[in-house]
Amino acid sequence: MKAFTVSKAVTALMLAGLVLLPLYSQASGNIFILTLFTRIVILALAAASLNLIMGFGGMMSFGHAAYLGIGGYAVGMLAQEGVGSGFIQFPVALAASATYALVIGALSLRTRGVYFIMITLAFAQMAYYVASGLARYGGDDGLTVYKRSDFSGLINLSNRTQFYYLCLACLFGVVFLIWRIANSRFGLVLQGLRSNEQRMQAIGFPSKRYQLVCFVISGMMCGLAGALLANNTDFVSPAVMYWTRSGDLMVMVILGGMGTLFGPVIGAVVYLLLEEFLSQLTEYWALIMGPLLLLIVLFGRGGIMGLLGRLNRG
Amino acid sequence: MLLVVEQFLNGLQFGLLLFLLAAGLTLVFGIMDLVNLAHGSLYMMGAYFAATFAAWTGSFLLGALLALGATLVLGIVLEMSALRHLYGRDHLDHVLATFGLILFFNEAVRLIWGPAGLALPLPVWLTVPVPILPGIHYPAYRLAIIAVALLVALLLYLGVMRTRIGMLIRAGASNREMIGALGINIKLLYTLVFGLGAALAGLAGLMQAPILTVQIGMGENILILAFVIIVIGGIGSIRGAFLAAILVGMIDTLGRAFLPNLLRQVLSGAAASTAAPALSSMLIYLLMAIVLVVRPEGLFPANRR
């Protein structure tokens, strides 16, 4: 293993940039960039959580946006009912995501391959329709979160810089956790299952149990992202669970490099910045984005991380 | 009684429409092993083409025919330019690439036709109610959809079961490599099947167009339904797609029509009226979840190895 590689350098640069961004924002007076990057960091967190099951666990979930909604609705609904404390809201968001992941994971893991993609999609659509039917909490129109989660003076989420650093800390925490998981015995079993499930079963590993635990952990991580996202936009609606959102998350993971530690983070940054850049360039940004995705799939195996790895060798 | 018959026919009509969409999807999936999310975009293009051509020619039927041809050509072009390179890749690659195509098509439609929806007006002779039973009338257009879809289903069945191309298609569905090894021009067959699937999707879109408005993103919800159908029916199986489509069409339509009343007898009025729409939207996903849990290969899996 080389001490210096291009991908390591790019990753370090990007992380430094993310850490120093509020300083730049303050110095230049550009508040918009901080708001934009708060969103990017939160969605990078969601993409990283998806990478845990897709990249390391080999489970292609097409319903990951459901957790964004569940985490968000946990915050929004509690706030609506007068429970403003983040010490209650965030644990509830995590618990709700975990419960949902446990149930749909237990059912979905009976299938594999494209059936798994489809059943996770179907469950996310169900969650979407349930949220649309919640008349008390805004139904289709969504729910405005009038007050951000209150951490009783510990941290103020309405302060842009503090909120940004909270999101960034969560992202780093989750990536660290994924790193520890991937290199633990548990993570090695998962990666073994990804390459050859039958063989792992033959050695005596209860494959479904390992995969289910991984699925739940990933769901909780994404639920955290959902809770942060609701605080960021002060709003949560069924639209965050729509299947195109799940598609966006998948694109971020693949674009950055599935199964790499920082790939999804890079993928989220690049994808969302590209979206932002193209939408400023032209109203019809998707006209460029769509074919670009096609080209990335056709020619960019291993995503950006794979590309950087090849640069290094070449 | 009137309502029951009417809703039953509505369910049948919706189910048959879904079958047209699902048939193309399951053929493409079964034979090329390609997950084509952009199938819904072809459905949308069919509707837009029909609205445009009908306005140009001033005739609904002529517009529909031209639109059918246009989606066929579009499908073939799409296959030859982009999707052909995806065969043999991971399903995940298919999902991403065709997701990109959805973005592209939605945006292209916005650019060409504008963000507002279009309407496809029906000719007068299709708007009259037709008596089907003594005292029961049903819109002629919906009856026409049922007739056309049944005819297409029959032709598809005969084509797949009785012709040489159909034989190749079935052979391709059960073992791709083998028919390639036997010297069949598999590239041409794939292009043909994709074009056929595109035309079926376009047909579904243009027939649905006068009932709903023609708008951007109209293919996305119905695409998910079509996926649910082929998963329930068993991937690659046309018979399975047919039965599952009717089942899903019926459950969806009848659920929406009768579930609110049923719930009202169990729950209080307010609770029932909030729960019913969500529950009836969920019903088919629930059905799919149950089918996948009990029979992970679908109800009528195509014969495979």
Side-chain angles (χ1 to χ4, degrees), chain B residues 186-206:
Chain B
I186 209 157
K187 263 190 168 169
L188 187 67
L189 182 69
Y190 282 5
T191 309
L192 211 65
V193 169
F194 195 89
L196 177 69
L200 286 174
L203 179 64
L206 72 91

Side-chain angles (χ1 to χ4, degrees), chain A residues 110 242 254 290 297-298 301, chain B residues 89 96 100 111 221 282 293:
Chain A
R110 294 174 56 92
Y242 199 57
I254 314 274
V297 171
L298 285 179
R301 289 186 181 228
Chain B
R89 292 286 198 90
L96 280 180
L111 187 68
N221 284 323
M282 278 171 58
V293 168

